[in-house]
Amino acid sequence: RRSSDLNISKNHNWGNLVRSASAFGVKQVCVVGQKKVNLFGNKGAANRSNFRTFNSLEEAQQFFHSRNVSICGVEIMENALPIQSHPFRGSTAFILGNEGMGLTAKQIAICDHFVYIPQYGTGTASLNVTVAGSIVMHHFAVWAGFQEHQRSGQKFIVDASTQKDRWELRDDEDKRLEDTIRAERQERKQMDWTDTDDTAGGDLFHLEDS
């Protein structure tokens, strides 16, 4: 069983997180405070994902707790447990912090417990939020014993789309944003090295154990 809420500011991170959520069996992606999001980079995964909206964090907390779903914050903090210890409590909604600031005080307040991802090198203070979210969701899927999806050759088989891109914002502003992202990527390719320190912060991904 699976679910999520996202406090992500960069649209390409949103899309990539939804792609990872689809790959690791997330039941629901929960959006707090807005009706639509730009899912640039999701590679069609949004069409096979289930979304739910909430007006506030408090509304989301009430929804999950009424269904015996714990809220787990993904953050580097004193009382957080290492993800590899699998300190899960059954069906779980993971909340990831903003790329730059991490979880806000209000987000921390609704969490029942916390996990963090240990690092073993000294080159960066934290992981990109998409990387962090993917690691957490994969660990939960392993702990919950999800059945591996079927493969064909060097790819996993993709199910038929279940819904259209009704969650995506596709206006002129979003198109300009996508063009800007592509231009920035092309610029980075021309550089030897770039430092893109997107720190793991906060949104909700709801996962349920088997």
Side-chain angles (χ1 to χ4, degrees), residues 1-3 25-27 90-92 140 144 146 206-210:
R1 298 186 289 273
R2 322 125 196 171
S3 177
V26 166
K27 180 179 181 180
S91 298
T92 302
F140 186 93
F146 293 164
H206 172 196
L207 291 158
E208 299 183 352
D209 61 358
S210 304

Side-chain angles (χ1 to χ4, degrees), residues 37-57:
V37 292
N38 188 304
L39 300 176
F40 177 70
N42 76 88
K43 299 296 184 181
N47 298 336
R48 304 168 186 88
S49 301
N50 181 24
F51 290 79
R52 178 183 293 273
T53 60
F54 297 102
N55 293 319
S56 66
L57 288 168

Side-chain angles (χ1 to χ4, degrees), residues 11-12 25 30 38 44 55 58 72 84 88 90 102 124 149-150 152-153 187 192 198 207 209:
N11 292 314
H12 61 285
C30 301
N38 188 304
N55 293 319
E58 291 75 19
C72 180
Q84 72 271 19
F88 308 120
T124 184
H149 195 55
Q150 292 180 316
S152 177
E187 183 178 351
D192 292 332
D198 291 343
L207 291 158
D209 61 358

Side-chain angles (χ1 to χ4, degrees), residues 92-180:
T92 302
F94 292 101
I95 181 166
L96 302 165
N98 177 271
E99 292 92 338
M101 299 178 293
L103 293 177
T104 66
K106 288 184 177 181
Q107 290 168 335
I108 290 173
I110 72 166
C111 293
D112 301 305
H113 59 116
F114 301 88
V115 295
Y116 76 99
I117 302 168
Q119 293 185 187
Y120 307 99
T122 60
T124 184
S126 61
L127 295 172
N128 170 274
V129 65
T130 300
V131 175
S134 299
I135 291 173
V136 169
M137 287 184 278
H138 180 267
H139 270 281
F140 186 93
V142 171
W143 171 82
F146 293 164
Q147 183 176 357
E148 183 179 320
H149 195 55
Q150 292 180 316
R151 292 172 288 174
S152 177
Q154 295 177 316
K155 300 284 186 178
F156 286 90
I157 297 174
V158 177
D159 293 335
S161 297
T162 58
Q163 59 184 15
K164 295 183 178 179
D165 292 342
R166 58 190 178 91
W167 290 94
E168 293 200 61
L169 294 174
R170 302 297 298 174
D171 57 19
D172 292 339
E173 182 178 353
D174 296 318
K175 180 62 169 61
R176 289 194 294 271
L177 176 61
E178 292 180 8
D179 291 341
T180 299

Side-chain angles (χ1 to χ4, degrees), residues 183-198:
E184 291 175 350
R185 287 177 175 173
Q186 185 62 34
E187 183 178 351
R188 288 199 296 268
K189 288 180 180 179
Q190 297 174 0
M191 300 173 63
D192 292 332
W193 294 98
T194 58
D195 180 11
T196 56
D197 186 19
D198 291 343

